Amino acid sequence: MPKPMICLSAALRKYLELFRACFSRRQWKYFVTVLLGLIEHEGRHTLKGLLSSVWEKVSLSGLSRFLGRWPWSPEEVAQTWQADFRQEMAAAVQAEHRRQRAKRPKQRGRPKATLVTGYLVLDDSVQGKPKGRKMAGLGQHYSTTEKKVVSGHGLFTSLYLLLGRRCPLLPRLYRQKAVCEREGVPFQSKVDLAVAEIEAFMPVAKTHTHVLVDSWYHCRRVRRAADRRGWDASGGLKSNRWMRISTPAGGLEWVRLSDYAAGLRASDWVEATWPSQEGGHKVYVHTVRTWVRKLGPTLVLITRTSLDQPLAQVRYWGSTLVDADAQAVIDILALRWDIETLFEDYKDLLGSDHYQVMSATAIVRFWTLVSCLAYFLDKQRASLQAERPGEHITWGDARRAIQSEHQRNLLVWLADQFRSGVTAGQLYARLAA
């Protein structure tokens, strides 16, 4: 049964009020409709599907215009939820600094400064559109899920992690160079988008930021962009990168990472634990402080799941934390998996690839509203986690809790309608209209 807006949960209603200034009165109704539809609808999240779950006087054509034509700013919407995150996390950051100061051993001299680190994770995902031949921005992208090149859109986004909380940032449409030439728009590479994100991002006050990337983004420009802001950076490295090592004669030479790994003995590896939700699994790691060509001073980590694992399956990582121990860097690298979970939730939970809009503007706006709801779900997840310590709470759990509250509110509303004299036939006619 479609839900009227009167049934909104108190938490969702309060959250939506943050965005009043971003929309006109007419646009506001459609904004609430989309977010409520994303929560309630269980099928494909097309515009028609979203409308089918909300009882409100809005039209499919109006919703299409809201996404594609009406003047509102995705940047302003994203800045609003990020400002809410910074405000909400300020007290938690202060508490963490106090906790670290309380645990700091008393000794002579200036005490070591406390440090609260947030992680800015950058990545992209393919939103497959095999039948969307007339959609703007369509390109041929390699899908790691399907292990082949598919027709679709490139979604570039970032995820900010701080003290157990997650805040998605503004999604962007990545167009390949040929697509940009065909559509007459300026070309921005994935690295351009990553550098722009690093330069513009505003972290929570009194925190340090650590950028996490995969091997595609781990390059000189991204490293330098992070360094200019005084941030650290870590991520995957391709096996053909060059690193500098000392020779037995006392000189220096450049070798490929894969060649260096091939020369390691069993005694060169140490055991470590790769964290995961299931408790983690054992890996073998070798670390070396070196200089990686085009990156600079780097702590290189080479990992394998067993000592007899083929060299082709060995993985390589690099970090600016050159003095850190292997387990500390592994704990940081494992956080990058959160953005893979984000993309999975975007698609499976919120239908980020279900859209059937045609313009690039409408596509980015739809993704923005998905991200807007994702941040709200993380707020609710954190609240549920506090109520159920020890349990693993997901965005799906938070969404189901909101749906249950909406269902209860609907029953209360229906009871009020019947008490006021409205008949079942009148209510059916109103809800079916």
Side-chain angles (χ1 to χ4, degrees):
M1 177 183 290
K3 303 291 192 303
M5 290 184 184
I6 194 70
C7 297
L8 286 176
S9 71
L12 181 57
R13 189 182 300 277
K14 181 180 178 180
Y15 177 67
L16 295 174
E17 286 296 327
L18 297 174
F19 301 90
R20 279 281 186 182
C22 300
F23 303 99
S24 67
R25 181 179 296 181
R26 180 174 60 168
Q27 293 168 358
W28 170 259
K29 184 181 294 186
Y30 284 93
F31 168 66
V32 177
T33 296
V34 173
L35 265 65
L36 180 56
L38 288 171
I39 290 175
E40 292 295 331
H41 192 58
E42 296 295 349
R44 290 190 60 79
H45 289 172
T46 60
L47 300 191
K48 190 174 182 180
L50 297 179
L51 287 179
S52 69
S53 297
V54 181
W55 179 61
E56 197 61 41
K57 292 183 178 180
V58 293
S59 65
L60 183 61
S61 60
L63 183 54
S64 180
R65 290 192 296 272
F66 167 72
L67 290 173
R69 298 183 184 178
W70 290 351
W72 59 273
S73 169
E75 289 78 10
E76 186 179 359
V77 173
Q79 289 166 8
T80 300
W81 83 65
Q82 290 171 46
D84 179 74
F85 181 77
R86 289 192 295 270
Q87 180 180 1
E88 191 170 298
M89 295 303 296
V93 169
Q94 294 282 11
E96 178 61 18
H97 280 295
R98 289 194 297 270
R99 187 192 68 81
Q100 292 183 21
R101 285 193 292 268
K103 291 185 63 177
R104 194 165 50 191
K106 294 183 178 180
Q107 55 188 13
R108 291 183 178 181
R110 179 172 295 180
K112 184 179 179 181
T114 57
L115 180 67
V116 178
T117 302
Y119 299 90
L120 180 63
V121 192
L122 312 172
D123 207 352
D124 61 275
S125 175
V126 177
Q127 311 292 297
K129 286 294 173 184
K131 299 180 180 179
R133 297 181 180 85
K134 294 185 179 180
M135 287 181 171
L138 278 179
Q140 300 298 310
H141 305 272
Y142 181 78
S143 170
T144 54
T145 304
E146 300 189 30
K147 306 297 183 183
K148 64 179 182 180
V149 175
V150 300
S151 177
H153 294 112
L155 165 61
F156 172 88
T157 195
S158 307
L159 180 65
Y160 186 40
L161 310 172
L162 179 64
L163 298 177
R165 288 289 306 279
R166 294 178 289 180
C167 179
L169 304 188
L170 178 68
R172 303 181 190 277
L173 175 63
Y174 164 68
R175 291 181 174 98
Q176 294 161 320
K177 195 169 186 177
V179 176
C180 290
E181 291 174 353
R182 183 175 70 240
E183 298 183 355
V185 297
F187 171 69
Q188 279 189 299
S189 68
K190 293 180 182 179
V191 172
D192 292 334
L193 294 172
V195 170
E197 187 73 271
I198 293 171
E199 292 174 343
F201 176 66
M202 186 182 300
V204 175
K206 299 183 180 180
T207 64
H208 176 67
T209 302
H210 194 129
V211 178
L212 298 177
V213 294
D214 65 10
S215 59
W216 179 273
Y217 293 94
H218 206 167
C219 64
R220 175 187 293 175
R221 291 181 58 205
V222 169
R223 272 280 194 97
R224 288 185 174 178
D227 185 64
R228 284 193 294 269
R229 300 204 61 180
W231 298 349
D232 288 304
S234 301
L237 294 172
K238 295 182 179 179
S239 62
N240 61 357
R241 299 297 291 263
W242 292 82
M243 59 180 281
R244 192 169 64 189
I245 62 171
S246 299
T247 64
L252 297 172
E253 68 176 4
W254 293 94
V255 297
R256 285 190 177 90
L257 293 178
S258 57
D259 294 336
Y260 177 82
L264 295 175
R265 299 165 296 180
S267 59
D268 294 324
W269 301 86
V270 297
E271 287 188 20
T273 300
W274 194 277
S276 69
Q277 188 59 46
E278 293 73 27
H281 60 272
K282 183 174 69 175
V283 295
Y284 293 89
V285 59
H286 174 82
T287 60
V288 55
R289 294 174 179 85
T290 183
W291 188 287
V292 175
R293 185 173 289 174
K294 297 185 179 180
L295 291 183
T298 302
L299 178 67
V300 171
L301 289 84
I302 307 173
T303 61
R304 63 198 315 175
T305 56
S306 65
L307 294 179
D308 57 355
Q309 186 179 30
L311 185 62
Q313 297 177 16
V314 169
R315 301 193 67 181
Y316 306 88
W317 317 86
S319 175
T320 56
L321 300 176
V322 292
D323 295 322
D325 63 79
Q327 187 61 61
V329 178
I330 285 175
D331 291 343
I332 292 171
L333 291 169
L335 293 173
R336 202 199 71 81
W337 187 253
D338 278 42
I339 201 164
E340 303 294 345
T341 304
L342 174 80
F343 288 134
E344 183 177 344
D345 285 340
Y346 272 12
K347 291 180 179 180
D348 297 342
L349 188 66
L350 303 178
S352 66
D353 57 350
H354 294 177
Y355 54 89
Q356 294 178 343
V357 293
M358 306 304 292
S359 69
T361 296
I363 293 167
V364 172
R365 286 179 169 185
F366 180 79
W367 288 342
T368 300
L369 298 181
V370 167
S371 301
C372 181
L373 179 61
Y375 169 62
F376 170 73
L377 291 178
D378 195 73
K379 286 167 66 78
Q380 297 307 112
R381 179 196 62 80
S383 297
L384 291 173
Q385 192 76 68
E387 297 172 5
R388 310 176 198 171
E391 289 187 37
H392 175 58
I393 307 297
T394 66
W395 285 359
D397 296 328
R399 180 171 177 254
R400 285 186 288 273
I402 294 295
Q403 288 174 338
S404 296
E405 187 171 351
H406 288 171
Q407 191 68 26
R408 288 193 299 270
N409 292 345
L410 176 61
L411 294 175
V412 171
W413 178 76
L414 289 172
D416 289 341
Q417 294 297 306
F418 290 135
R419 278 195 294 267
S420 66
V422 178
T423 66
Q426 290 172 328
L427 269 179
Y428 177 81
R430 289 170 60 184
L431 291 173

